[in-house]
């Protein structure tokens, strides 16, 4: 009898816990605003300073407020250390590094939707997919 109660209790808990996760609700949230990735990412290293460069794509939707920002995630020895924000659609960032460590930079466009393009209950902040620049 105790074994039956244990099995019944475990089955009941499993049903209750799986009922709390409703993937369908998450999948129904469509979001039709996307930023293109930065173009032509590159770098030049001068001692312990790395100048990252990129180009802003020309095909940015009018649904975004201008100027856009660029966010650069600095990954040092596979550990994310900081995020550098580049404003006013500038196309470069100078970052000081430790030359004894490995670095990877993830460069993304970042923007806010205009008031007219915002959808109720959805974010007004949008990131593009990242472009990775690895320092050799």
């Amino acid at each position: 009898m105790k074994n039956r109660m244990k099995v019944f209790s475990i089955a009941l808990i499993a049903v209750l816990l799986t009922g709390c996760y409703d993937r369908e609700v998450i999948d129904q949230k469509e979001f039709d605003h996307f930023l293109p990735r930065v173009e032509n990412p590159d770098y030049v290293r001068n001692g312990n300073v790395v100048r990252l460069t990129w180009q802003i794509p020309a095909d940015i939707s009018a649904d975004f407020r201008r100027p856009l920002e660029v966010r650069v995630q600095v990954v040092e020895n596979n550990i994310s250390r900081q995020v550098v924000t580049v404003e006013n659609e500038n196309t470069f960032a100078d970052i000081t590094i430790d030359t004894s460590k490995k670095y990877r930079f993830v460069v993304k466009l970042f923007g806010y939707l205009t008031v007219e393009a915002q959808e109720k209950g959805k974010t007004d902040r949008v990131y593009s997919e990242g472009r990775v620049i690895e320092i050799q």
Side-chain angles (χ1 to χ4, degrees):
M1 183 69 169
K2 284 188 175 187
N3 283 341
R4 286 186 188 175
M5 286 302 289
K6 283 183 183 178
V7 170
F8 178 74
S9 298
I10 291 172
L12 180 62
I13 290 171
V15 168
L16 290 174
L17 291 177
T18 58
C20 294
Y21 181 74
D22 192 357
R23 181 71 200 185
E24 191 174 307
V25 172
I26 296 170
D27 290 339
Q28 287 179 354
K29 293 190 177 211
E30 295 179 13
F31 193 71
D32 295 325
H33 303 286
F34 300 96
L35 283 169
R37 299 184 335 168
V38 296
E39 298 173 344
N40 303 318
D42 203 0
Y43 75 93
V44 175
R45 186 170 152 188
N46 187 7
N48 65 339
V49 175
V50 174
R51 173 164 278 200
L52 304 172
T53 59
W54 55 83
Q55 293 176 343
I56 306 293
D59 59 342
I60 306 288
S61 168
D63 290 343
F64 290 95
R65 290 187 277 175
R66 300 301 283 267
L68 298 172
E69 295 177 355
V70 175
R71 303 275 170 99
V72 179
Q73 178 184 10
V74 179
V75 181
E76 176 187 272
N77 286 341
N78 293 322
I79 299 171
S80 180
R81 294 293 183 191
Q82 66 176 326
V83 176
V84 176
T85 300
V86 180
E87 298 177 337
N88 297 320
E89 296 189 20
N90 283 325
T91 57
F92 71 92
D94 292 329
I95 299 175
T96 302
I97 63 169
D98 179 345
T99 57
S100 68
K101 298 180 180 177
K102 294 181 183 177
Y103 283 87
R104 184 172 67 244
F105 302 96
V106 182
V107 183
K108 297 180 181 184
L109 273 179
F110 174 76
Y112 291 96
L113 292 170
T114 62
V115 173
E116 298 82 18
Q118 289 178 16
E119 299 176 39
K120 186 173 182 171
K122 295 184 181 176
T123 185
D124 67 335
R125 298 180 299 169
V126 179
Y127 284 92
S128 71
E129 290 184 41
R131 291 283 187 142
V132 178
I133 302 174
E134 293 199 42
I135 303 301
Q136 303 296 333

